[in-house]
Amino acid sequence: MRYVSTKGSGPVDARTAVLQGLPSDNGLFVPEAIPKLPDGQIKEILQSNLSDIAYQVTHPYLSGEISDTELRKICAEAFNFPLELVNLEENLSVLELFHGPTLAFKDFGARFMARVMGFFVRNEEEDLHILVATSGDTGGAVGNGFHGVEGIRVTIVFPENKISKRQQAQITSLGGNVQAVAVQGTFDDCQKLVKEAFLDAQLKELRLSSANSINISRLIPQSIYYFAANAMLSGEDPLYVVPSGNLGNISAGVMALKMGLPIHQFIAALNANDTFERYLQSDHYEARPSVPTLANAMDVGNPSNIQRLMYWLSSDISNYISATHYNDEEILRGLKNSLQKYEYNMCPHTAIGYLAAMESKVHLDKPHVILSTAHPSKFSEELPEIPYTFELPQRLHEQISKVQHYERVGNHYQDFKDYLLS
Ligand SMILES: *Cc1c(COP(=O)(O)O)cnc(C)c1O
């Protein structure tokens, strides 16, 4: 498969698209054509287990550049955790995507991307050095994804005392090829330092690279859980309700649909950052600065993957996707309601999906599947008013009790640079 930019440049091979991350014309990489699978193959995929589904779905995107044996190995290693579909009531279920090492769906994208990048640099003498700034969640998933991958070193840059204790534990307890550095400043300071390092000619020999959230190799593997969910459901085509921020998750759903997976429709469930909903209503795109909400992993005012959705669906977009948003008060109501009604614990992002599904279900008699993007324990410390009843997952327990290693630097570029060169 070759890849082109949404703004027209290309084509390039998969290796270039993955290692370069972004095309130089400011667009985003997309496959030259999304592969439409024959009905027979879709039927076969829907009978398979997760690692096999992963192989069949990702194969057309990478064949020719990664051997079948190697791709099978990558899939088996990346998706070594379960996926669960929990039924709440008729026509309403939750697809739990948070059973990976960092308890969030981002593990699907990060673990696959890390292994694909590792494969593409396997014959190079010098390690590739991934530099990533995080406001909390991404650092954990990327660090975990690359942990133990040969040929790649990772430095995670986080703002000291500005991320939760649990998030910090996930980032600083890895060790090995994953280092953490705490900046005395804000997330914006971290991003600035990282950007400056990428532009610094004196750091060329460090072979710095980014593991950007819009890398196409993070999107491709996210299609697989839509196939896996269809496989677990029976009957009518489902409607997927996707808690959305940067719109990566829902873009992967659209890829699954274009590959031929039977899907009735998508609902993008948003928090107060409703840029995408306003776009669907007015056909006019207007980004806004993000506002903080309880579902903070979705606080995105200018969602980058909208470019891909426009490219794939253009003026038909509202036939496939609708959008709706909820404020913090409604999120709290949704969290309490799901506990009362089903004794089901959810994270604030999932609660937005729950609210959207309940509203849609009233007038649409179809199976609604809510994608649950994170385990509630990642956010429960900040939500003391919710009477959660879950037990702390074992792996979070382990991560919290491990020794933490990190360096501290000031927010001056020279300090950061000295750290990188040391
Ligand atoms: C990243 C994230 C989202 C948003 O996903 P997008 O692909 O950016 O739309 C939703 N929930 C959680 C918990 C996340 O970490």
Side-chain angles (χ1 to χ4, degrees):
M1 176 69 68
R2 298 193 304 172
Y3 293 81
V4 293
S5 162
T6 50
K7 296 240 165 104
S9 69
V12 299
D13 58 11
R15 182 180 190 277
T16 308
V18 169
L19 292 182
Q20 195 177 308
L22 280 174
S24 43
D25 64 2
N26 246 327
L28 297 180
F29 281 121
V30 287
E32 205 167 29
I34 295 179
K36 175 92 172 64
L37 304 180
D39 288 351
Q41 192 184 351
I42 301 260
K43 282 215 182 81
E44 191 186 315
I45 291 178
L46 296 183
Q47 311 286 321
S48 312
N49 63 29
L50 184 63
S51 148
D52 213 40
I53 292 176
Y55 168 75
Q56 297 204 56
V57 171
T58 57
H59 181 263
Y61 293 101
L62 296 161
S63 62
E65 288 181 72
I66 300 186
S67 74
D68 296 0
T69 327
E70 194 61 41
L71 186 60
R72 276 198 189 277
K73 187 166 148 244
I74 288 173
C75 289
E77 281 177 16
F79 311 115
N80 62 350
F81 52 89
L83 181 72
E84 282 172 33
L85 188 71
V86 177
N87 193 51
L88 295 184
E89 62 174 54
E90 199 189 348
N91 280 341
L92 184 65
S93 52
V94 181
L95 182 66
E96 296 184 346
L97 301 172
F98 54 68
H99 297 288
T102 72
L103 305 162
F105 83 101
K106 289 196 169 66
D107 285 329
F108 279 89
R111 290 178 68 78
F112 186 82
M113 170 175 70
R115 281 160 184 78
V116 167
M117 277 191 167
F119 176 81
F120 283 140
V121 300
R122 70 197 179 288
N123 293 327
E124 295 179 11
E125 265 171 37
E126 297 285 324
D127 280 2
L128 194 67
H129 189 162
I130 304 278
L131 206 51
V132 55
T134 182
S135 57
D137 251 14
T138 305
V142 170
N144 251 282
F146 282 102
H147 192 224
V149 172
E150 267 178 53
I152 296 184
R153 286 199 297 140
V154 180
T155 300
I156 300 170
V157 187
F158 68 95
E160 183 156 41
N161 301 325
K162 301 244 164 37
I163 67 177
S164 79
K165 286 201 188 93
R166 289 175 183 172
Q167 287 173 328
Q168 178 165 327
Q170 286 190 329
I171 292 168
T172 58
S173 62
L174 289 162
N177 63 331
V178 180
Q179 303 300 311
V181 55
V183 170
Q184 278 129 60
T186 62
F187 170 59
D188 287 339
D189 292 329
C190 296
Q191 268 194 314
K192 242 198 293 190
L193 293 175
V194 166
K195 272 194 189 142
E196 203 163 337
F198 282 133
L199 297 173
D200 190 336
Q202 289 174 331
L203 296 181
K204 261 235 139 52
E205 76 266 28
L206 292 183
R207 298 202 61 218
L208 297 179
S209 174
S210 75
N212 213 296
S213 66
I214 50 198
N215 195 296
I216 189 70
S217 67
R218 266 176 83 160
L219 219 52
I220 292 166
Q222 291 186 54
S223 294
I224 70 175
Y225 45 73
Y226 291 91
F227 282 85
N230 267 48
M232 289 189 271
L233 292 158
S234 52
E236 280 186 272
D237 298 353
L239 198 143
Y240 284 103
V241 187
V242 190
S244 295
N246 216 9
L247 300 170
N249 206 350
I250 206 164
S251 296
V254 168
M255 289 172 84
L257 174 83
K258 294 220 148 210
M259 290 178 86
L261 186 68
I263 292 174
H264 177 69
Q265 237 207 349
F266 298 95
I267 300 177
L270 311 171
N271 61 23
N273 297 281
D274 62 349
T275 300
F276 185 54
E277 184 181 352
R278 285 184 290 104
Y279 168 70
L280 291 183
Q281 281 164 0
S282 65
D283 206 23
H284 169 70
Y285 185 72
E286 186 203 348
R288 292 208 182 141
S290 65
V291 295
T293 75
L294 289 176
N296 59 24
M298 291 161 40
D299 294 347
V300 182
N302 187 11
S304 25
N305 281 300
I306 202 165
Q307 275 198 55
R308 288 187 169 120
L309 291 175
M310 289 175 183
Y311 182 88
W312 288 326
L313 301 173
S314 54
S315 57
D316 285 342
I317 192 164
S318 25
N319 297 339
Y320 296 100
I321 309 179
S322 65
T324 174
H325 76 277
Y326 297 92
N327 63 27
D328 278 358
E329 211 177 298
E330 291 165 314
I331 294 175
L332 293 174
R333 192 146 32 83
L335 288 169
K336 288 178 186 156
N337 184 275
S338 79
L339 277 166
Q340 269 163 10
K341 232 171 142 178
Y342 315 102
E343 293 173 38
Y344 186 77
N345 295 279
M346 45 177 73
C347 83
H349 313 80
T350 308
I352 294 182
Y354 171 65
L355 292 164
M358 293 304 268
E359 212 171 308
S360 162
K361 239 170 72 66
V362 173
H363 54 85
L364 195 64
D365 191 21
K366 295 253 179 210
H368 287 65
V369 180
I370 305 159
L371 300 203
S372 179
T373 49
H375 189 276
S377 60
K378 293 194 84 168
F379 302 91
S380 55
E381 281 177 315
E382 287 79 39
L383 293 167
E385 63 269 60
I386 303 301
Y388 279 126
T389 57
F390 61 80
E391 282 177 38
L392 210 59
Q394 183 59 28
R395 53 204 180 293
L396 189 58
H397 216 60
E398 284 164 16
Q399 285 158 351
I400 296 170
S401 38
K402 268 194 193 154
V403 188
Q404 301 192 10
H405 291 285
Y406 63 94
E407 298 266 343
R408 303 170 66 215
V409 301
N411 66 0
H412 296 292
Y413 179 65
Q414 193 57 47
D415 293 358
F416 183 63
K417 183 170 174 175
D418 291 345
Y419 164 79
L420 289 177
L421 287 169
S422 68

